[in-house]
Amino acid sequence: MIKVLLVDDQQILAEGIKSVLETSHEITVVGIASDGVRAVEMVTEERPDVVLMDIRMPNMNGVVATKRIKEIDESIKIIILTTFDDSDYILSAINNGASGYLLKDIGATALIDAVKNAHAGDTILPAKIAKKITETAVMISSDKEYKLKKTFNLSEREVEIALMLYDGFTNRQIASALKLSDGTARNYISAIYLKLGVDGRASAVEKIKKLS
Protein backbone atom coordinates (compact mmCIF):
# COMPACT_ATOMS: atom_id res chain seq x y z
CA MET A 1 0.00 0.00 0.00
CA ILE A 2 1.36 3.42 -1.00
CA LYS A 3 0.87 5.99 1.78
CA VAL A 4 0.21 9.49 0.45
CA LEU A 5 0.20 12.83 2.27
CA LEU A 6 -1.68 15.70 0.59
CA VAL A 7 -0.47 19.27 1.15
CA ASP A 8 -2.76 22.04 -0.09
CA ASP A 9 -4.37 25.07 1.53
CA GLN A 10 -7.50 24.62 -0.60
CA GLN A 11 -9.47 22.09 1.45
CA ILE A 12 -12.04 21.30 -1.23
CA LEU A 13 -9.34 20.57 -3.80
CA ALA A 14 -7.45 18.37 -1.35
CA GLU A 15 -10.59 16.40 -0.50
CA GLY A 16 -11.27 15.89 -4.20
CA ILE A 17 -7.74 14.58 -4.78
CA LYS A 18 -8.13 12.26 -1.78
CA SER A 19 -11.33 10.82 -3.22
CA VAL A 20 -9.66 10.23 -6.59
CA LEU A 21 -6.56 8.55 -5.14
CA GLU A 22 -8.52 6.25 -2.88
CA THR A 23 -10.35 4.74 -5.84
CA SER A 24 -7.09 2.79 -6.24
CA HIS A 25 -6.76 -0.19 -3.91
CA GLU A 26 -2.97 0.40 -3.92
CA ILE A 27 -3.12 3.90 -2.40
CA THR A 28 -4.19 5.26 0.99
CA VAL A 29 -4.22 8.94 1.95
CA VAL A 30 -2.77 9.24 5.47
CA GLY A 31 -3.59 12.93 5.94
CA ILE A 32 -4.09 16.42 4.56
CA ALA A 33 -1.88 19.34 5.60
CA SER A 34 -2.98 22.92 4.92
CA ASP A 35 0.52 24.43 4.80
CA GLY A 36 4.20 23.53 4.70
CA VAL A 37 4.71 23.74 8.46
CA ARG A 38 1.98 21.18 9.13
CA ALA A 39 3.26 19.05 6.24
CA VAL A 40 6.68 18.72 7.87
CA GLU A 41 5.04 17.78 11.18
CA MET A 42 2.79 15.19 9.54
CA VAL A 43 5.68 13.61 7.64
CA THR A 44 7.29 12.83 11.00
CA GLU A 45 4.01 11.48 12.36
CA GLU A 46 2.74 9.51 9.35
CA ARG A 47 5.89 8.61 7.40
CA PRO A 48 4.21 8.73 3.96
CA ASP A 49 5.79 7.19 0.86
CA VAL A 50 4.65 10.00 -1.45
CA VAL A 51 3.77 13.65 -0.78
CA LEU A 52 1.62 15.66 -3.19
CA MET A 53 2.78 19.21 -2.49
CA ASP A 54 1.16 22.51 -3.44
CA ILE A 55 3.59 25.41 -3.97
CA ARG A 56 1.82 28.59 -2.92
CA MET A 57 0.71 28.23 0.70
CA PRO A 58 0.74 30.37 3.86
CA ASN A 59 3.38 29.99 6.61
CA MET A 60 5.75 27.83 4.57
CA ASN A 61 5.62 27.35 0.80
CA GLY A 62 6.03 24.07 -1.03
CA VAL A 63 9.64 24.69 -2.05
CA VAL A 64 10.85 25.16 1.53
CA ALA A 65 8.66 22.30 2.79
CA THR A 66 10.11 19.99 0.14
CA LYS A 67 13.64 20.77 1.32
CA ARG A 68 12.70 20.19 4.99
CA ILE A 69 10.95 16.88 4.24
CA LYS A 70 13.87 15.53 2.22
CA GLU A 71 16.15 16.41 5.13
CA ILE A 72 13.92 14.31 7.41
CA ASP A 73 13.70 11.34 5.06
CA GLU A 74 15.44 11.30 1.69
CA SER A 75 13.40 8.30 0.54
CA ILE A 76 10.05 10.15 0.57
CA LYS A 77 8.95 11.01 -2.96
CA ILE A 78 7.54 14.53 -3.39
CA ILE A 79 5.44 15.55 -6.38
CA ILE A 80 4.71 19.24 -6.80
CA LEU A 81 1.11 20.11 -7.69
CA THR A 82 1.28 23.26 -9.76
CA THR A 83 -0.29 25.58 -12.27
CA PHE A 84 1.42 26.54 -15.51
CA ASP A 85 2.34 29.94 -14.06
CA ASP A 86 4.42 28.46 -11.23
CA SER A 87 7.41 27.57 -13.44
CA ASP A 88 9.80 29.80 -11.48
CA TYR A 89 9.08 27.77 -8.34
CA ILE A 90 9.22 24.35 -9.97
CA LEU A 91 12.95 24.42 -10.74
CA SER A 92 13.69 25.37 -7.12
CA ALA A 93 11.51 22.52 -5.87
CA ILE A 94 13.30 20.00 -8.10
CA ASN A 95 16.66 21.33 -6.93
CA ASN A 96 15.47 20.70 -3.38
CA GLY A 97 14.64 17.06 -4.06
CA ALA A 98 11.18 16.92 -5.65
CA SER A 99 10.59 13.94 -7.94
CA GLY A 100 8.74 16.09 -10.46
CA TYR A 101 5.51 17.97 -10.83
CA LEU A 102 1.91 17.67 -12.00
CA LEU A 103 -0.52 20.23 -13.33
CA LYS A 104 -3.58 20.64 -11.11
CA ASP A 105 -5.90 19.93 -14.03
CA ILE A 106 -4.55 16.38 -14.39
CA GLY A 107 -7.08 13.60 -14.96
CA ALA A 108 -7.92 11.00 -12.31
CA THR A 109 -6.22 8.03 -13.99
CA ALA A 110 -3.09 10.02 -14.78
CA LEU A 111 -2.90 11.25 -11.18
CA ILE A 112 -3.07 7.72 -9.79
CA ASP A 113 -0.46 6.52 -12.30
CA ALA A 114 1.83 9.44 -11.42
CA VAL A 115 1.74 8.57 -7.71
CA LYS A 116 2.55 4.94 -8.48
CA ASN A 117 5.33 5.92 -10.88
CA ALA A 118 6.89 8.37 -8.42
CA HIS A 119 6.76 5.72 -5.71
CA ALA A 120 8.61 3.39 -8.10
CA GLY A 121 11.34 6.02 -8.55
CA ASP A 122 10.32 7.66 -11.81
CA THR A 123 10.64 11.37 -12.51
CA ILE A 124 7.30 13.05 -13.23
CA LEU A 125 7.67 15.70 -15.95
CA PRO A 126 4.58 16.72 -17.97
CA ALA A 127 5.70 17.63 -21.48
CA LYS A 128 4.22 21.12 -21.77
CA ILE A 129 5.73 22.24 -18.47
CA ALA A 130 9.04 20.44 -19.12
CA LYS A 131 9.48 22.45 -22.31
CA LYS A 132 8.93 25.71 -20.44
CA ILE A 133 11.34 24.71 -17.67
CA THR A 134 13.97 23.68 -20.20
CA GLU A 135 13.66 27.04 -21.94
CA THR A 136 13.93 28.80 -18.58
CA ALA A 137 17.04 26.82 -17.69
CA VAL A 138 18.70 27.78 -20.97
CA MET A 139 17.81 31.45 -20.54
CA ILE A 140 18.96 31.76 -16.92
CA SER A 141 22.19 33.39 -17.96
CA SER A 142 22.88 34.50 -21.53
CA ASP A 143 26.32 35.52 -20.29
CA LYS A 144 27.11 31.97 -19.16
CA GLU A 145 25.75 30.62 -22.43
CA TYR A 146 28.02 32.90 -24.46
CA LYS A 147 31.08 32.07 -22.34
CA LEU A 148 30.43 28.32 -22.49
CA LYS A 149 30.33 28.51 -26.27
CA LYS A 150 33.33 30.80 -26.65
CA THR A 151 35.61 29.43 -23.91
CA PHE A 152 34.90 25.71 -24.18
CA ASN A 153 33.49 25.39 -27.71
CA LEU A 154 30.27 23.75 -26.52
CA SER A 155 27.49 23.08 -29.02
CA GLU A 156 24.00 24.54 -28.56
CA ARG A 157 22.73 21.27 -27.07
CA GLU A 158 25.80 20.92 -24.83
CA VAL A 159 25.26 24.47 -23.52
CA GLU A 160 21.63 23.61 -22.81
CA ILE A 161 22.61 20.50 -20.86
CA ALA A 162 25.53 22.21 -19.10
CA LEU A 163 23.16 24.89 -17.75
CA MET A 164 20.72 22.21 -16.62
CA LEU A 165 23.57 20.46 -14.78
CA TYR A 166 24.40 23.78 -13.17
CA ASP A 167 20.76 24.16 -12.05
CA GLY A 168 20.78 20.79 -10.31
CA PHE A 169 18.97 18.58 -12.82
CA THR A 170 19.88 14.90 -12.50
CA ASN A 171 20.95 12.92 -15.57
CA ARG A 172 17.54 11.27 -15.64
CA GLN A 173 15.67 14.57 -15.42
CA ILE A 174 17.77 15.99 -18.27
CA ALA A 175 17.02 12.94 -20.42
CA SER A 176 13.29 13.17 -19.67
CA ALA A 177 12.99 16.94 -20.18
CA LEU A 178 14.90 16.89 -23.48
CA LYS A 179 13.36 13.59 -24.64
CA LEU A 180 16.73 11.84 -24.85
CA SER A 181 17.59 8.27 -23.95
CA ASP A 182 19.53 7.90 -20.68
CA GLY A 183 22.56 6.75 -22.67
CA THR A 184 22.46 9.74 -25.01
CA ALA A 185 22.18 12.14 -22.07
CA ARG A 186 25.18 10.48 -20.40
CA ASN A 187 27.19 10.78 -23.63
CA TYR A 188 26.43 14.50 -23.84
CA ILE A 189 27.40 14.98 -20.20
CA SER A 190 30.66 13.06 -20.68
CA ALA A 191 31.49 15.26 -23.69
CA ILE A 192 30.78 18.37 -21.61
CA TYR A 193 33.09 17.16 -18.83
CA LEU A 194 35.82 16.53 -21.41
CA LYS A 195 35.50 20.01 -22.95
CA LEU A 196 35.42 21.67 -19.52
CA GLY A 197 38.45 19.65 -18.42
CA VAL A 198 36.71 18.24 -15.34
CA ASP A 199 36.11 14.74 -14.01
CA GLY A 200 32.62 15.03 -12.55
CA ARG A 201 29.44 16.99 -11.85
CA ALA A 202 30.69 18.97 -8.84
CA SER A 203 33.78 20.18 -10.72
CA ALA A 204 31.67 21.06 -13.76
CA VAL A 205 29.23 23.10 -11.67
CA GLU A 206 32.10 24.93 -9.99
CA LYS A 207 33.69 25.74 -13.34
CA ILE A 208 30.42 27.04 -14.79
CA LYS A 209 29.85 29.10 -11.64
CA LYS A 210 33.19 30.83 -12.17
CA LEU A 211 32.05 32.05 -15.58
CA SER A 212 29.82 34.67 -13.89
Side-chain angles (χ1 to χ4, degrees), residues 11 54 70 84 111 124 170:
Q11 186 72 21
D54 189 18
K70 295 299 280 190
F84 194 73
L111 176 61
I124 312 300
T170 65

Side-chain angles (χ1 to χ4, degrees), residues 24-40:
S24 170
H25 67 276
E26 297 174 52
I27 296 172
T28 182
V29 175
V30 296
I32 298 174
S34 60
D35 62 37
V37 174
R38 183 64 183 137
V40 174

Side-chain angles (χ1 to χ4, degrees), residues 128-146:
K128 62 181 177 179
I129 292 280
K131 183 175 184 295
K132 187 172 183 180
I133 296 302
T134 302
E135 290 168 353
T136 301
V138 175
M139 293 170 61
I140 281 173
S141 172
S142 58
D143 186 46
K144 277 191 175 63
E145 183 177 343
Y146 173 76

Side-chain angles (χ1 to χ4, degrees), residues 13 22 36 55 65 73 99 124 129 143 152 154 161 185 190 193 211:
L13 179 61
E22 292 193 332
I55 284 185
D73 188 343
S99 296
I124 312 300
I129 292 280
D143 186 46
F152 301 108
L154 266 60
I161 292 173
S190 295
Y193 290 168
L211 291 175

Side-chain angles (χ1 to χ4, degrees), residues 63-133:
V63 175
V64 177
T66 294
K67 184 174 187 294
R68 299 277 174 84
I69 289 169
K70 295 299 280 190
E71 288 170 352
I72 293 169
D73 188 343
E74 177 67 28
S75 70
I76 295 173
K77 310 299 183 185
I78 302 174
I79 305 172
I80 303 299
L81 282 172
T82 183
T83 66
F84 194 73
D85 293 334
D86 282 334
S87 59
D88 290 345
Y89 293 91
I90 296 167
L91 193 57
S92 295
I94 288 176
N95 287 343
N96 281 313
S99 296
Y101 41 90
L102 296 172
L103 291 170
K104 285 188 173 181
D105 62 0
I106 189 172
T109 301
L111 176 61
I112 290 169
D113 287 344
V115 169
K116 291 178 182 177
N117 292 341
H119 182 249
D122 291 345
T123 301
I124 312 300
L125 295 168
K128 62 181 177 179
I129 292 280
K131 183 175 184 295
K132 187 172 183 180
I133 296 302

